[in-house]
Amino acid sequence: VTGYYHDSFNHHAITTSLLLPLGPQGDRNYTPARYDFRTETEVDPQTHTAPHNAVLLFEGVFVLRDELRDHFDFTCYVDVDFEEITRRAAQRDAEHFGSPHAVTQRYRTRYIPGQQLHLDSAQPLRRAHVVIDNNNPHHPTLHINHTSQSLL
């Protein structure tokens, strides 16, 4: 369970290849990818140069961890209940995992416990600048988090 949270991403590579080069003191020469999780293979790390006025929008699970969060000027956490996450995943990922049941098992034994660990340790609901309740994707709700150092 903890492996998903602790070992799913190479935070050092994310920081050195993307966040630091695109940060305030960076040279704008970044590497957008080093690994393809779907094929579980490393990719040829090609370097690109961002324009002077570029804005990085960085999306993913666990990005509000202590190792990464200080690299962001503004953070948003999309909150969805675990049951809803599992329901959506069973529909979306059935082909990839073989069946809706296989998806549900994978989420209940690996992904959801990892997400709970993230909630407990990184506290994204408290620390993000804004939280979007996306349990109903047709009517998401925006919450400005007054406990974080908000830029709003």
Side-chain angles (χ1 to χ4, degrees):
V1 171
T2 62
Y4 172 57
Y5 181 69
H6 292 293
D7 302 326
S8 289
F9 301 98
N10 183 337
H11 298 104
H12 177 74
I14 292 169
T15 301
T16 59
S17 299
L18 188 67
L19 299 178
L20 288 175
L22 295 176
Q25 309 304 318
D27 62 7
R28 300 185 346 268
N29 296 313
Y30 68 99
T31 305
R34 291 188 171 268
Y35 188 80
D36 182 341
F37 77 94
R38 294 205 186 274
T39 61
E40 297 186 10
T41 59
E42 292 193 23
V43 298
D44 183 26
Q46 298 184 8
T47 301
H48 302 272
T49 302
H52 288 283
N53 62 348
V55 173
L56 173 65
L57 296 177
F58 190 93
E59 179 274 334
V61 297
F62 310 147
V63 299
L64 294 177
R65 297 171 60 117
D66 288 340
E67 300 95 313
L68 302 176
R69 64 178 283 106
D70 289 340
H71 294 281
F72 302 112
D73 295 322
F74 184 81
T75 58
C76 174
Y77 182 76
V78 179
D79 187 35
V80 180
D81 294 338
F82 292 145
E83 286 304 314
E84 181 62 14
I85 288 171
T86 304
R87 186 191 69 73
R88 291 179 193 175
Q91 292 177 344
R92 179 189 63 234
D93 299 336
E95 185 176 331
H96 179 71
F97 287 106
S99 71
H101 177 73
V103 173
T104 299
Q105 288 304 107
R106 180 77 168 222
Y107 270 73
R108 287 189 177 147
T109 60
R110 180 169 171 80
Y111 299 141
I112 297 302
Q115 288 291 339
Q116 186 63 59
L117 184 56
H118 180 243
L119 286 170
D120 294 342
S121 62
Q123 300 180 3
L125 291 167
R126 184 180 65 82
R127 296 171 77 186
H129 292 100
V130 297
V131 174
I132 298 173
D133 179 331
N134 199 35
N135 282 291
N136 181 346
H138 300 292
H139 299 287
T141 305
L142 176 69
H143 301 277
I144 298 171
N145 195 343
H146 297 289
T147 60
S148 72
Q149 294 179 354
S150 182
L151 299 175
L152 299 176

